Structures are given as C-alpha cells and as structure tokens.
C-alpha cells in the first residue's frame, strides 16, 4: 500500500517484454486483416445499405421484410466460402528484349563460350533447326560467358527477375492486397535454394506471417498443374482465401556446358519464363473471375522403371550437370497421356480449347497424331513454342494467354491444359470461362 491508500502496482521485471500486450496487438491486427479480406467492396457498400434499411423500415414498413431477406442473401453471398475454386487472373512474364536470342546468335555464342567441341556445336545446330522455336525466345547470356561456371547467384538473379516480374503484373491486374494472400505454392524443377524460392517471394512482398507456403522442386514440366492441385486442396481447407501459384524453370540451371551428346538437346529448347496465377475460394469472387476449375486429373508412371528413368538430371564424366532424355521418352509420354486422358474424358467429355505443353515440335507432332487433334487445336501450343520456346511448367499459361489474346475464350467455353514431365507424370486441368474474356492491353505477353 502507498501513502495515499492506493494499491501499489507490482514492478515488472527488467528485460522481459510485455507478452500480453504484444499478443493482444497481434490478434487485433490479424482480426483487422481478416475483416478486410472478407470483401473491400462489401465493406464499402455496407453502411449505405444499412441506412437504406433503416429508412425503409421507418417510412415504408411494408418493404422491410423483403429487404431484410435481400440483405441476408447478400450477406450469404459475400461472406460464405465456396467449395469451388475460381481463377481471378494470371500473368506470364515476358523478359526484356535484350534477352532475345536468334538461332544464329545461339550457335555463335555457344562457339565463343569455348565449352563445346565441333560435334556438340553441330548437334545443337541440328536440334535447333528442328525444334519449332523461332527467332525471339529469351535466354540468359551468363550461360555463354567464357570460363564462367553458373552459380547460385546467377540462378537467384534469374529467378527473381522472372518470378517477381510475373507476380507484379498479376497484382497490378487483380488489385489484391498481398496481406490477403493466405496460400503460396511455387514450383521450379532444377533450382532449389535455401532459403527456398517461395521464401524469397514472402520476403520480397512481405506476405503474412501465417502464409501457407509450399515450394515444389524436381517435379518437371508438369509441376504447374500439380501446384494448382495443391492450391485447390489448401483452398478447400482454408475456405474463403486467396492462393498465389507461381510456375517457372530457371534456364541457367538447366544449361549443360559439356560435350556428352545425350545431355545437349535440352539446351536447345528451354527458355526463360514464369507464370503467376491468383486463385480464390471466395464465393463473391466468382463474379469477377475469368475461370472456374472444373476437373484436375493426375497420372504417375513412376512405378515403371523405364518411365522413371526416361528423364533425369545427370552428371557427365567431368561432373557437369545436364538433363538426360532417353530414347524411350516419347513412348513413355504416349502411354502416360493416354492413361490421363482416358480418365479425363469420363469426367469432362467435352472442351473447346486445348493447351498442350510446348516442349518441342516432335512432341507436339506425336501428341497431335495420337489424339487426332486438328491444327486449330494445336495452334496455341505451336505458336507458344515458336515465340517463347519451352518455358517448362509455365508453358500452358502462355498458351492460354494466346487464346485470350486472339479473343477465343467465350463464356461457357472449357479449356484443357495438359502437361507432362519427369517421373514420369502427365497431368490435366480443365477450366470453364465464366465470361467472355476480352484481350488484355496490359498483362498479356502476346501484346506488341
């Protein structure tokens, strides 16, 4: 007791933080973020709606009951989660023009790098001529630097450029606050760093501390659809949330600088690129989304040794890494695609557009022949291969961007994206257009 009769407060021990205060403040912040994430639009219109309800209840009581029903339905529409997954928008990164490379530039730079003998140069020249890739795809010049061994810094710099570039365009298009993103799934096949690339995204954009973050590595060109599948399951577990999906491959780490002819072909196909996709399980987002996820089918042939060994990262006698494709890879891919589409056709028998992973002209020719597809069916894939090359798991998004650019996606249309890659895996996803998709003037890589 002090002299004035009051209760003397017990002094707090020095050096110990006020945990109670900090915890309370933390949950106040989290609650505020949650309320904002319910719907900025709804919060904006709620006060005038309440004022309107009060006015009608007082001066036009006969309308009060139907208005209350309307408001309850509106609350349900805005605040309840949905079991469906909606695609608000997506973006595909287009690197600056100084990364463009022609076939002749490729061969000239490869020769000047002093990494390849004459046999290796001629093999790459032949593969390039038959690849289906045009004269405007993008490559990092560091892989051609004489005497330079590609390192983690090179990989991280390329990853930051393409990943941040794609996400920046997506956030600008969707106007979504990064604090509202609950789920992050990023896939990249060959480059796996510590901290992870997904952690790099969280750090750069300052996402929430409780973000559900996943980094998928080593899963090949079909991993983009796997990332969508994981995001779908997480959205069902955290209903009423946003999920950011990022797909890329880092060319500086797929590059092979030796003379083992079995490891050289991928040099001629892989090119820079990345895609970012914003998914939602919020019911209200259906009205501003481009697509709704209809079906997703995954097929894995890894239990078969021939399939498992058909595509893998190897080292040559000098310890240089490169991607190996076996002579059986096309036959393996054929069986995987057939198994996948057999299941898909039972679930989703009809779709208007197709985006086949743009790996190479040979692969696209074989798939077109096997599935009896028309030239129109293959247009998006062939055009993407020619303009951007094989951007790995993000390729199917460049193809969908092409369809949008051409004004082909109409309300109710379904588009089938199919990817395949190491493992061996084949994955499919079907989206339905929720409205007529007008060609974008901003975040479409096909814009001039």
């Amino acid at each position: 007791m002090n002299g004035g009769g009051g209760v003397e407060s017990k002094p707090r021990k020095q050096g110990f933080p006020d945990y109670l205060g900090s915890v309370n403040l933390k949950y106040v912040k989290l609650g505020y973020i949650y309320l904002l994430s319910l719907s900025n639009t709804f919060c904006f219109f709620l006060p005038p709606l309440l004022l309107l309800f009060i006015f009608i209840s007082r001066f036009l009581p006969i309308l009060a009951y139907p208005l209350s029903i309307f408001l309850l339905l509106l609350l349900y529409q805005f605040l309840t989660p949905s079991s469906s997954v909606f695609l608000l928008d997506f973006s595909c990164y287009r690197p600056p023009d100084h990364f463009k490379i022609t076939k002749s530039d490729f061969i000239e730079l490869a020769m000047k790098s002093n990494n390849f003998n004459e046999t290796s140069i001629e093999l790459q020249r032949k593969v390039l001529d038959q690849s289906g890739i045009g004269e405007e795809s993008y490559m990092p010049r560091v892989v051609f630097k004489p005497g330079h061994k590609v390192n983690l810094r090179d990989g991280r710099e390329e990853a930051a450029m393409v990943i941040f570039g794609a996400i920046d365009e997506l956030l600008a298009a969707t106007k979504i606050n990064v604090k509202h993103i609950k789920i992050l799934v990023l896939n990249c096949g060959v480059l796996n760093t510590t901290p992870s690339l997904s952690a790099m995204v969280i750090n750069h954009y300052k996402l929430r501390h409780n973000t559900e973050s996943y980094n998928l590595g080593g899963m090949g060109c079909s991993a983009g659809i796997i990332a969508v599948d994981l995001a779908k399951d997480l959205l069902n577990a955290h209903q009423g949330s946003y999920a950011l999906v990022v797909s890329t491959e880092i060319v500086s780490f797929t590059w092979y600088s030796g003379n083992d002819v079995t490891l050289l072909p991928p040099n001629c196909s892989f090119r820079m690129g990345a895609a970012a996709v914003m998914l939602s399980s919020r019911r209200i987002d259906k009205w501003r989304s481009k697509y709704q996820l209809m079906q997703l089918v995954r097929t894995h042939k890894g239990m078969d040794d021939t399939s498992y060994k058909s595509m893998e990262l190897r080292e040559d006698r000098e310890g240089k890494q490169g991607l190996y494709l076996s002579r059986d890879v096309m036959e393996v891919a054929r069986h995987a695609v057939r198994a996948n589409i057999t299941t898909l056709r039972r679930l989703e028998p009809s779709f208007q557009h197709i985006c086949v992973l743009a790996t190479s002209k040979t692969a696209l020719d074989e798939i077109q022949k096997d599935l009896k597809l028309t030239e129109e069916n293959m247009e998006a894939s062939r055009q993407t291969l020619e303009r951007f090359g094989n951007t790995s798991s993000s390729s199917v998004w460049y193809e969908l961007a092409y369809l949008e650019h051409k004004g082909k996606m109409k309300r109710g249309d379904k588009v089938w994206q199919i990817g395949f890659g190491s493992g061996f895996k084949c994955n499919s996803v079907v989206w339905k257009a929720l409205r007529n998709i007008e060609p974008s003037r901003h975040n479409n890589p096909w814009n001039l």
Side-chain angles (χ1 to χ4, degrees), residues 149-166:
K149 182 179 179 181
V150 174
N151 53 49
L152 276 175
R153 179 178 179 180
D154 299 325
R156 286 194 177 108
E157 288 180 353
E158 181 186 341
M161 179 177 67
V162 299
I163 291 172
F164 297 159

Side-chain angles (χ1 to χ4, degrees), residues 180-401:
H180 299 166
I181 298 173
K182 173 64 177 175
I183 298 157
L184 169 64
V185 184
L186 187 149
N187 70 273
C188 179
V190 178
L191 176 63
N192 289 286
T193 65
T194 302
S196 67
L197 296 179
S198 61
M200 179 185 76
V201 171
I202 289 175
N203 175 261
H204 182 79
Y205 291 98
K206 309 305 178 188
L207 301 186
R208 294 156 56 173
H209 77 278
N210 61 343
T211 302
E212 295 272 347
S213 172
Y214 297 85
N215 197 98
L216 307 181
M219 304 194 77
C221 297
S222 67
I225 296 175
I226 297 174
V228 170
D229 190 28
L230 177 56
K232 171 181 69 70
D233 291 342
L234 291 168
L235 284 170
N236 286 331
H238 302 279
Q239 292 193 352
S241 302
Y242 287 122
L244 173 61
V245 176
V246 183
S247 297
T248 190
E249 189 57 85
I250 305 306
V251 177
S252 54
F253 265 65
T254 64
W255 183 257
Y256 172 63
S257 59
N259 291 293
D260 185 334
V261 295
T262 65
L263 303 179
L264 285 169
N267 281 0
C268 306
S269 60
F270 282 111
R271 296 293 186 268
M272 297 170 68
V277 184
M278 190 69 73
L279 302 178
S280 172
S281 59
R282 292 154 40 106
R283 189 182 303 275
I284 186 175
D285 284 328
K286 179 178 181 179
W287 309 111
R288 66 170 180 143
S289 294
K290 286 184 172 182
Y291 304 98
Q292 180 176 344
L293 195 157
M294 304 304 294
Q295 294 291 343
L296 196 150
V297 176
R298 293 170 57 179
T299 302
H300 207 306
K301 292 289 186 178
M303 67 293 299
D304 173 67
D305 287 345
T306 301
S307 300
Y308 177 72
K309 297 177 181 179
S310 63
M311 186 182 298
E312 60 184 3
L313 191 65
R314 286 186 178 181
E315 292 183 345
D316 65 10
R317 294 179 180 179
E318 298 178 3
K320 296 180 178 180
Q321 284 190 348
L323 288 170
Y324 167 77
L325 306 178
S326 75
R327 294 181 177 180
D328 301 317
V329 68
M330 287 307 304
E331 187 63 24
V332 166
R334 183 178 292 111
H335 287 296
V337 169
R338 286 175 179 172
N340 184 272
I341 196 172
T342 298
T343 303
L344 181 66
R345 278 177 170 166
R346 290 199 299 265
L347 300 173
E348 199 70 50
S350 178
F351 31 79
Q352 289 71 40
H353 310 283
I354 302 176
C355 298
V356 181
L357 185 77
T359 54
S360 68
K361 182 179 182 300
T362 301
L364 293 180
D365 289 344
E366 290 297 320
I367 290 175
Q368 180 177 5
K369 178 182 176 181
D370 274 7
L371 301 183
K372 297 179 173 58
L373 301 176
T374 65
E375 285 299 322
E376 184 178 4
N377 294 149
M378 301 298 295
E379 181 182 344
S381 300
R382 294 194 186 279
Q383 291 295 323
T384 297
L385 179 63
E386 180 181 7
R387 176 63 180 84
F388 294 99
N390 179 0
T391 61
S392 188
S393 57
S394 65
S395 170
V396 292
W397 295 108
Y398 285 83
E399 295 166 28
L400 183 53

